[in-house]
């Protein structure tokens, strides 16, 4: 667990101000007025106000150093506020602690105890009766799909299962308020969706939930969201209200010349046009415009004048990430993009033609267990390729074989044109590797870590100072180079680890979950840098659990149980999905979900705040049946419409169908 007192980000003194977009209608379970917290000269929280209603899922969204964890510590009664009036369950948080469940960032499970032993220990601390324990244990393990694993050691659970067990531990004493500080960091998409459906079920039972997350696709599942930055709340509202308040519209532009089109449109984004922002994704550009019709006309005209191709242009709704980034940019808070100081010129004739990473019929056995089964991978120079899958799908094992860290049981591998010794020093100096568990030394300073990696990668002495300075700058850590790396929050560690992995200008870059726990602004900067390296000829292979950012990949493949089940560009994979994705807004959300799951497979129905996402294979037949099913259970449908598949929806559909 960390508090924002350990954050290296400097805070600026300013008056707290935000625009609440929706007003509470019932008595608040949590009331926060003028909350301030200072650590010496550092002000971590600067006079924030918000209320949370009974049974509400309330999202506290912001980057590392925003003040989220400090706010959670105060709400949980762990520390006192410097100033302000904070009420939880009608009393001071310290007095309300028996009614509060708190899941910290580093959930405190005992890894050498079984699942049941962890639950019994927590129940004993809270004096839960044997009868209540047995009833709640069965209820919550069944809700989390953990009922078959009672005697398994917590240390042997997957990341998603550990998070579910930690949530069970927080629920076993039946709290009225649940505080969840970034509960799904590192959890795969399938487990994450199950986790959020559990939260919706708990909220429906009257549990009040406050959740912090750096992932804005998750914030779509909250009833209301507070955007927090540098100790202040910038805006509060429902996800729909926040997106509508932006006053901007989003165009998805697809073209065969992404870089040229991006440069053409960016050149106009600060001028008199309707174009306000341009962001590159794997096979498209997202363009924010102030007026949808004018913006579309101007985009078409600009590309026509520049003789650039336009494959398609679609109008769509802004995302919460658009809202968050735009609000901070309007205040001048977005960090500048700092180009990498290059000393090597790449042979650009190889771009998109030569294979930098190649594997054919790759297999890996661990005893009698086959972790990877006949996997084929081809990544070209200048390409970003995503290797995606749930926990245990074989992603990390595949990456370790591809970069020579683990020997394949069978199959052919070529790395940078080498097919023999993949562990040679000469080849390794051409490769960058950032692992899931950031490979920094916590007991060294940031500068010492970077000096160490500069030496490992044989960066000439005359270039080291400039390249280390670049890493420090992109991390926003100027003047704090002598801080111990172990004191950094996870998101900052990830930034330093990324910088360390690219200082030597690798031809091939392996990134294993590089942005886990990284906030939206920093993640956007990450991907600008990754795209910049790719455009200079670096081949990039990346894994991520967050499908919204996987849209940044040019191509990707999904692994299920060690096998490739689908491959293509983000658009190709979404378009390949059978059936339709339907959005239903009912008057009783949880009840509607429960009813539909009586006849539909569980993965086909998921709760998003006040809406449901439902996957149907035969819309003409199934939609009337869904209407009849809901209406016969006295559930009114406010709206029902077909919506495009997100990459997460496509991933879950593909994984579940393949497992079936």
């Amino acid at each position: 667990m960390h508090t924002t007192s350990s954050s290296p980000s400097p805070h600026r003194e300013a008056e707290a101000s935000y625009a609440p977009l929706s007003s509470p209608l019932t008595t608040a379970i949590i009331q926060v007025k003028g909350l301030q917290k200072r650590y010496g000269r550092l002000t971590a929280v600067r006079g924030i106000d918000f209320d949370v209603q009974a049974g509400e899922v309330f999202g506290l969204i912001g980057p590392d150093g925003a003040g989220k964890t400090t706010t959670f510590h105060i709400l949980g009664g762990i520390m006192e506020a410097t100033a302000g009036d904070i009420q939880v369950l009608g009393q001071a948080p310290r007095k309300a602690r028996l009614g509060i469940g708190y899941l910290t960032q580093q959930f405190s499970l005992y890894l050498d105890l079984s699942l049941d032993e962890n639950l019994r220990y927590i129940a004993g601390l809270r004096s839960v009766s044997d009868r209540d324990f047995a009833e709640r244990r069965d209820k919550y393990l069944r809700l989390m799909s953990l009922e078959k694993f009672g005697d398994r050691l917590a240390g042997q659970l997957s990341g998603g299962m550990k998070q579910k067990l930690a949530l069970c531990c927080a629920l076993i004493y039946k709290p009225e308020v649940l505080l969840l500080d970034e509960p799904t960091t590192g959890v795969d998409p399938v487990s994450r969706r199950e986790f959020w459906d559990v939260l919706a079920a708990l909220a429906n039972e009257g549990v009040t939930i406050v959740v912090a997350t750096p992932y804005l696709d998750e914030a779509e599942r909250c009833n209301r969201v507070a955007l927090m930055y540098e100790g202040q709340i910038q805006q509060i509202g429902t996800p729909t209200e926040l997106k509508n308040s932006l006053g901007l519209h989003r165009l998805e532009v697809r073209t065969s010349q992404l870089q040229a089109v991006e440069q053409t449109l960016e050149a106009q984004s600060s001028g008199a046009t309707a174009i306000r922002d341009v962001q590159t994704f794997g096979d498209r550009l997202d363009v924010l415009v102030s007026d949808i019709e004018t913006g579309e006309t101007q985009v078409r005209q600009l590309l026509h004048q520049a003789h650039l191709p336009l494959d398609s242009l679609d109008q769509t709704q802004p995302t919460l990430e658009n809202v968050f980034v735009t609000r901070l940019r309007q205040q001048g808070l977005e960090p500048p993009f700092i180009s990498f100081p290059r000393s090597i010129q790449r042979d650009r004739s190889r771009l998109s033609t030569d294979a930098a990473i190649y594997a054919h019929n790759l297999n890996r056995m661990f005893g009698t267990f086959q972790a990877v089964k006949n996997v084929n991978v081809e990544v070209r120079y200048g390409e970003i390729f995503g290797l995606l899958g749930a926990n245990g799908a074989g992603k990390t094992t595949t990456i370790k074989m591809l970069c020579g860290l683990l020997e394949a049981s069978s199959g052919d591998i070529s790395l940078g044109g080498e097919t023999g010794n993949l562990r040679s020093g000469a080849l390794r100096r051409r490769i960058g590797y950032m692992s899931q568990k950031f490979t920094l030394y916590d007991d060294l300073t940031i500068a010492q870590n970077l000096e160490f990696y500069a030496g490992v990668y044989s960066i000439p002495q005359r270039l080291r100072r400039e390249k280390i300075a670049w890493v420090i700058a992109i991390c926003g850590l100027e003047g704090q180079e002598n801080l111990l790396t172990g004191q950094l929050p996870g998101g900052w560690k990830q930034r330093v680890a990324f910088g360390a992995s690219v200082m030597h200008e690798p031809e091939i870059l392996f990134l294993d979950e590089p942005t886990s726990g990284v906030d939206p602004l920093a993640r956007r900067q990450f991907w600008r840098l990754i795209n910049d390296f790719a455009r200079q000829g670096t081949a990039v292979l990346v894994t991520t659990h967050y499908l919204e950012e996987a849209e940044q990949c040019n191509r990707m493949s999904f692994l299920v149980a060690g096998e490739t089940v689908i491959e293509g560009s983000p658009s190709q994979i979404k378009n390949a999905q059978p059936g339709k994705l339907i959005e239903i807004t009912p008057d009783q959300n949880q009840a509607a979900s429960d009813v539909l799951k009586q006849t539909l497979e569980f993965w086909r129905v998921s709760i998003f705040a006040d809406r449901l996402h439902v996957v149907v294979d035969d819309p003409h037949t199934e939609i009337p049946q869904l209407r009849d099913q809901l209406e016969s259970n006295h559930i009114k449908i406010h709206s029902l419409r077909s919506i495009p598949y997100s990459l997460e929806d496509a991933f879950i559909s593909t994984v579940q169908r393949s497992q079936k």
Side-chain angles (χ1 to χ4, degrees):
M1 173 186 344
H2 71 264
T3 69
T4 49
S5 62
S6 64
S7 163
S9 174
H11 291 290
R12 302 179 309 157
E13 292 296 337
E15 291 294 321
S17 64
Y18 65 88
L21 297 173
S22 54
S23 301
L25 301 175
T26 59
T27 303
I29 296 296
I30 297 173
Q31 296 177 302
V32 176
K33 298 186 185 303
L35 169 59
Q36 293 185 38
K37 181 62 182 180
R38 289 190 293 272
Y39 301 99
R41 295 182 178 180
L42 174 69
T43 304
V45 182
R46 317 173 160 272
I48 62 173
D49 305 326
F50 65 90
D51 293 340
V52 186
Q53 314 306 311
E56 183 175 26
V57 181
F58 185 87
L60 199 58
I61 311 301
D64 283 328
K68 305 188 303 298
T69 298
T70 295
T71 301
F72 271 69
H73 285 347
I74 293 168
L75 292 178
I78 295 173
M79 67 169 61
E80 295 289 342
T82 304
D85 181 21
I86 300 92
Q87 298 278 309
V88 179
L89 299 170
Q91 52 192 329
R94 191 171 290 275
K95 294 182 178 179
R97 281 187 294 181
L98 290 178
I100 300 172
Y102 186 11
L103 181 58
T104 62
Q105 285 186 27
Q106 303 299 324
F107 40 88
S108 50
L109 296 176
Y110 294 91
L111 301 183
D112 54 351
L113 296 183
S114 70
L115 189 150
D116 274 333
E117 288 168 340
N118 269 282
L119 290 173
R120 284 192 179 279
Y121 176 71
I122 298 298
L125 290 178
R126 296 289 188 150
S127 302
V128 177
S129 70
D130 289 343
R131 179 180 175 182
D132 286 343
F133 173 79
E135 179 184 318
R136 293 172 193 172
R137 175 211 177 269
D138 293 345
K139 173 183 176 179
Y140 291 127
L141 291 188
R142 191 167 54 251
L143 188 63
M144 311 283 179
S145 302
L146 293 175
E147 65 271 23
K148 298 178 182 177
F149 305 102
D151 58 353
R152 182 175 294 186
L153 293 181
Q156 296 175 348
L157 299 175
S158 70
M161 293 168 76
K162 284 178 182 173
Q163 292 286 55
K164 291 178 184 177
L165 173 57
L167 182 57
C168 284
C169 290
L171 292 169
I172 202 69
Y173 49 91
K174 205 171 183 179
E176 296 177 66
V177 173
L178 197 54
L179 306 176
L180 307 174
D181 195 0
E182 299 189 11
T184 62
T185 295
V187 176
D188 70 76
V190 175
S191 297
R192 208 163 88 242
R193 178 161 286 195
E194 291 172 354
F195 191 92
W196 277 92
D197 282 346
V198 166
L199 295 187
L202 293 171
N204 188 62
E205 294 179 1
V207 179
T208 301
I209 300 171
V210 183
V211 60
T213 175
Y215 296 100
L216 292 170
D217 56 335
E218 288 193 337
E220 295 276 3
R221 294 170 170 270
C222 298
N223 300 113
R224 288 187 303 139
V225 172
L227 301 181
M228 194 168 183
Y229 194 82
E230 290 196 341
Q232 297 177 268
I233 289 179
Q234 308 290 331
Q235 200 170 16
I236 293 178
T238 68
T240 299
E241 288 172 339
L242 290 174
K243 287 184 281 191
N244 290 342
S245 75
L246 185 60
L248 297 175
H249 310 270
R250 184 163 65 98
L251 300 173
E252 289 188 355
V253 176
R254 288 176 172 79
T255 172
S256 58
Q257 297 186 32
L258 280 176
Q259 184 176 1
V261 171
E262 178 192 36
Q263 291 171 346
T264 298
L265 297 181
E266 273 195 336
Q268 302 295 324
S269 62
S270 57
T273 66
I275 299 169
R276 294 292 175 265
D277 184 45
V278 182
Q279 186 176 7
T280 298
F281 288 86
D283 63 352
R284 73 169 200 271
L285 298 172
D286 273 12
V287 183
L288 293 184
V289 295
S290 55
D291 180 85
I292 191 71
E293 302 301 335
T294 303
E296 179 174 342
T297 299
Q298 289 176 348
V299 168
R300 292 183 183 277
Q301 288 176 344
L302 287 167
L303 298 192
H304 178 73
Q305 291 167 4
H307 306 290
L308 292 170
L310 177 61
D311 299 334
S312 68
L313 192 155
D314 299 308
Q315 300 180 3
T316 187
Q317 188 182 42
T319 64
L320 272 182
E321 186 153 331
N322 293 145
V323 175
F324 187 79
V325 171
T326 301
R327 291 293 180 226
L328 297 184
R329 292 180 77 192
Q330 288 170 346
Q331 299 177 48
L333 297 175
E334 184 181 30
F337 177 72
I338 305 171
S339 297
F340 182 76
R342 300 189 177 279
S343 58
I344 301 173
Q345 293 299 317
R346 298 273 180 237
D347 178 5
R348 298 179 63 83
S349 66
R350 298 187 303 177
L351 293 183
S352 300
T353 55
D354 292 0
I357 305 169
Y358 173 83
H360 179 67
N361 288 344
L362 197 59
N363 289 278
R364 175 65 197 193
M365 303 291 297
F366 292 98
T368 59
F369 173 67
Q370 188 168 4
V372 176
K373 307 171 185 175
N374 295 318
V375 166
N376 299 316
V377 174
E378 184 174 339
V379 186
R380 295 181 287 273
Y381 289 103
E383 182 177 38
I384 302 173
F385 184 89
L387 194 62
L388 310 178
N391 285 332
K395 304 185 305 297
T396 299
T397 300
T398 300
I399 284 185
K400 286 182 176 178
M401 288 189 288
L402 291 175
C403 64
L405 293 177
L406 184 67
E407 188 175 349
S409 299
S410 64
D412 300 319
I413 300 177
S414 171
L415 186 62
E418 297 288 338
T419 57
N421 182 11
L422 301 184
R423 301 176 68 89
S424 72
L427 180 57
R428 286 184 177 278
R429 283 191 289 273
R430 297 164 57 197
I431 296 170
Y433 180 63
M434 179 180 170
S435 71
Q436 264 182 56
K437 305 299 181 186
F438 24 79
T439 48
L440 299 173
Y441 295 94
D442 283 351
D443 53 351
L444 296 182
T445 67
I446 298 164
Q448 287 169 339
N449 266 289
L450 295 175
E451 282 284 358
F452 172 75
Y453 276 97
V456 167
Y457 286 124
S458 302
I459 296 174
Q461 284 287 349
R462 59 186 173 81
L463 300 175
R464 288 189 188 184
R465 179 175 294 182
E466 183 182 23
K467 295 196 174 187
I468 289 173
W470 174 81
V471 177
I472 298 294
I474 65 165
C475 295
L477 293 170
E478 294 97 332
Q480 301 183 69
E481 298 89 336
N482 294 321
L483 194 69
L484 284 178
T485 307
Q487 295 178 301
L488 291 174
W492 259 286
K493 279 188 180 179
Q494 293 289 79
R495 296 184 220 184
V496 177
F498 173 78
S501 70
V502 300
M503 280 194 299
H504 62 298
E505 303 180 53
E507 294 177 31
I508 300 169
L509 183 58
F510 292 93
L511 301 173
D512 198 1
E513 297 183 29
T515 64
S516 182
V518 175
D519 68 76
L521 275 181
R523 200 159 58 242
R524 179 164 172 151
Q525 295 297 86
F526 247 107
W527 280 100
R528 287 187 69 181
L529 291 167
I530 293 169
N531 272 292
D532 188 46
F533 273 91
R535 287 171 177 175
Q536 298 300 321
T538 300
V540 182
L541 190 150
V542 61
T543 72
T544 176
H545 281 323
Y546 294 92
L547 279 300
E548 188 173 53
E549 76 169 5
E551 297 263 11
Q552 300 272 1
C553 299
N554 306 123
R555 288 188 307 120
M556 64 187 66
S557 67
F558 292 173
L559 289 184
V560 176
E563 296 184 86
T564 302
V565 293
I566 194 170
E567 182 176 319
S569 70
S571 295
Q572 288 170 338
I573 287 175
K574 287 183 283 189
N575 293 337
Q577 298 306 307
K580 290 284 187 183
L581 180 63
I582 306 300
E583 182 188 82
I584 303 174
T585 307
D587 64 346
Q588 304 171 59
N589 215 29
Q590 186 64 51
S593 173
D594 294 340
V595 165
L596 294 180
K597 284 181 178 179
Q598 292 174 7
T599 55
L600 294 174
E601 295 162 292
F602 75 94
W603 62 267
R604 293 179 179 269
V605 183
S606 193
I607 294 176
F608 282 75
D610 61 345
R611 297 154 287 139
L612 298 178
H613 282 193
V614 182
V615 176
V616 295
D617 288 343
D618 183 0
H620 297 295
T621 303
E622 292 182 68
I623 289 177
Q625 292 174 347
L626 298 182
R627 287 185 181 276
D628 291 344
Q629 194 176 358
L630 293 175
E631 290 171 0
S632 65
N633 283 274
H634 310 292
I635 297 171
K636 182 179 179 181
I637 299 174
H638 295 309
S639 68
L640 186 154
R641 65 189 181 114
S642 174
I643 59 174
Y645 271 93
S646 69
L647 199 55
E648 181 181 293
D649 289 310
F651 177 86
I652 289 172
S653 176
T654 300
V655 168
Q656 297 292 348
R657 290 176 195 275
S658 65
Q659 290 177 336
K660 180 181 176 182

